[in-house]
Amino acid sequence: MSGALDLDGRVAVVTGGTRGVGAGIARALLRAGARVVVCARRPPDEPVTADGRTACFRPVDVRRPAAVQPLFDELASAFGRLDLLVNNAGGAPFRLLEDADAERHARVLELNLTAPLTVSLAAHRVMRRQPAGGCVLMIGSVSGTRPSPGTAAYGAAKAGLEHLARTMAVEWAPAVRVNTLVLGMVRTESAHLHYGDTAGVAAVARTVPAGRLAEPDEIGDAVVFLASDRASYITGASLLVHGGGERPAFLAAARAHPSAPSAPSVTTFEEP
């Protein structure tokens, strides 16, 4: 690990850090030397560890402001500092808009947008008092940059989260940096719930230019970079971590047609 990416002694909080992407982020931070606290409603099945070091666990429901602020006050007292917050907690079931009422969709917005705002405000109250300030990272999604049928409220929340981060970056500068990681598909322990069996995951992976899904620890590596001194001038930014995104569907459709050329042709447009 390069010294510039060394987070030795820094204190990081990862919401939803007990499994999946959050656990990958926590492991990467532990390897970089940070003292890591993972938060969730329930404790992990196994402690989150890396390189012989273990993340601390604190129970909290990030949707409850009355529980969030006392947690950050307790962490500030226990560790004496707070350097990094990663707003990772979130998610949503597949649900078409017409299959639920507005109240149910609003709960998705609450978890994926309002809760990160609540947690960020609590962290900022600690970070703003520190000479070195701090860093807040939002875990966004490509669902917030394209249509998301079946997860419309989730996509809307992630779009709002990215905008919220940009505004925070301006209001809280220069003491606190705020950035967003815009994630594509990640291979987690629950990938089968979204993409099916092994063959389904492989088929989905072929739609990604990189040829595979991301691993949770790779997301963690991007977090370590943005939390490090190497990223000291980066704030209000969105880092795409999606393996190149998604191949345009029209290319596959064209290649599947019998009259299609072997390679896409250049299309020219004439003025009317």
Side-chain angles (χ1 to χ4, degrees), residues 53-185:
R53 306 177 67 241
T54 302
C56 300
F57 170 74
R58 294 291 192 280
V60 70
D61 184 343
V62 294
R63 296 169 297 184
R64 295 182 57 240
V68 170
Q69 189 60 58
L71 169 66
F72 278 82
D73 291 340
E74 183 260 315
L75 293 177
S77 176
F79 291 96
R81 60 190 292 175
L82 175 62
D83 302 283
L84 172 65
L85 165 65
V86 183
N87 278 305
N88 169 75
F94 182 90
R95 182 183 294 122
L96 295 174
L97 283 169
E98 64 185 19
D99 291 341
D101 57 21
E103 182 179 3
R104 188 172 293 273
H105 291 301
R107 293 176 190 167
V108 176
L109 294 170
E110 179 186 28
L111 174 61
N112 292 280
L113 179 58
T114 308
L117 171 60
T118 297
V119 179
S120 296
L121 288 169
H124 179 253
R125 293 185 184 104
V126 176
M127 292 176 176
R128 68 186 180 187
R129 300 194 298 263
Q130 302 174 156
C135 176
V136 173
L137 295 179
M138 306 295 192
I139 301 301
S141 169
V142 294
S143 293
T145 65
R146 56 155 170 76
S148 299
T151 55
Y154 176 80
K158 291 300 187 180
L161 190 66
E162 192 172 350
H163 186 277
L164 177 65
R166 292 196 187 109
T167 302
M168 284 179 173
V170 174
E171 291 194 9
W172 294 353
V176 178
R177 295 188 298 113
V178 187
N179 292 296
T180 303
L181 278 78
V182 181
L183 306 189
M185 295 177 286

Side-chain angles (χ1 to χ4, degrees), residues 5-23:
L5 294 179
D6 186 0
L7 303 182
D8 186 41
R10 300 188 193 185
V11 176
V13 173
V14 183
T15 66
T18 58
R19 59 190 178 93
V21 171

Side-chain angles (χ1 to χ4, degrees), residues 170-232:
V170 174
E171 291 194 9
W172 294 353
V176 178
R177 295 188 298 113
V178 187
N179 292 296
T180 303
L181 278 78
V182 181
L183 306 189
M185 295 177 286
V186 184
R187 185 191 297 273
T188 67
E189 59 266 37
S190 60
H192 66 283
L193 299 177
H194 305 283
Y195 314 125
D197 58 13
T198 301
V201 172
V204 170
R206 288 193 292 272
T207 69
V208 181
R212 62 180 179 84
L213 277 60
E215 298 296 334
D217 287 42
E218 291 178 306
I219 307 304
D221 290 339
V223 166
V224 169
F225 164 67
L226 286 177
S228 74
D229 293 339
R230 282 281 179 92
S232 61

